Amino acid sequence: MQTLNFRIVPLPTEVAEAAREQANAGAPDHAVMTVDSPTGYPCRHCLRWAEPGERVILFPYASVPPDRPYAESGPIFVHAEQCAPYAATDEYPTDFRSHRVLRSYNSTNDMIDAVVLGENDPEKVIAELFENPATEFLQARSVTHGCYTFAITRT
Ligand SMILES: [Zn+2]
């Protein structure tokens, strides 16, 4: 696996833990579901597909902060049980090399570019998006559903 000059940023552990607490408390916007497909439920904390039979929580997450035009809150999954945060932060996550779009944002959280990934080119696309000095961070999202998957920053 190629070593990258950028950093993969999974969902913070405290956000995953808060979601589990909210789900256990019965919050109506935190749905607990049992996985029924091997590639339908990406956990944003360990950055793997949750496996059939595992339980996940579906809840809204503000991947782009409020008070700007591109502010956005959308649905994401995390494992309902504790999982390890994605650790190989200098490697693009194997499970999400395809069916993703990379969106680039500037320092005021405005979207300035977006590229749909092919099967084998995430590292190349990331490098190209960061060639623009205005690019502050990237977000990987589902190409079909648009859901936030993880962020990428410069090292
Ligand atoms: Zn997980």
Side-chain angles (χ1 to χ4, degrees):
M1 185 70 68
Q2 181 181 350
T3 298
L4 307 182
N5 291 322
F6 15 87
R7 186 74 52 196
I8 303 296
V9 183
L11 189 75
T13 297
E14 57 265 31
V15 176
E17 284 296 318
R20 291 167 185 143
E21 289 171 16
Q22 289 284 305
N24 286 336
D29 61 349
H30 284 57
V32 180
M33 313 166 74
T34 299
V35 172
D36 59 5
S37 156
T39 56
Y41 303 83
C43 176
R44 271 60 164 197
H45 184 238
C46 60
L47 295 183
R48 298 187 58 84
W49 294 111
E51 295 174 14
E54 289 185 320
R55 292 187 319 138
V56 292
I57 300 161
L58 180 64
F59 68 103
Y61 175 65
S63 64
V64 183
D67 301 326
R68 291 289 303 170
Y70 284 95
E72 191 171 331
S73 176
I76 63 171
F77 293 110
V78 293
H79 277 113
E81 269 59 61
Q82 284 199 334
C83 60
Y86 183 74
T89 55
D90 59 350
E91 294 177 9
Y92 190 92
T94 307
D95 283 5
F96 307 116
R97 293 190 68 82
S98 59
H99 305 296
R100 298 293 122 181
V101 59
L102 295 184
R103 296 180 181 176
S104 59
Y105 293 83
N106 65 16
S107 60
T108 53
N109 296 326
D110 296 321
M111 195 194 307
I112 55 174
D113 208 345
V115 177
V116 175
L117 290 182
E119 285 287 334
N120 292 308
D121 64 354
E123 292 84 1
K124 177 171 168 282
V125 173
I126 292 167
E128 288 170 357
L129 289 169
F130 276 134
E131 280 174 11
N132 181 346
T135 301
E136 185 77 8
F137 64 95
L138 310 178
Q139 290 191 350
R141 290 169 174 259
S142 163
V143 75
T144 49
H145 292 61
C147 304
Y148 174 79
T149 313
F150 56 89
I152 306 166
T153 59
R154 299 176 189 271
T155 51

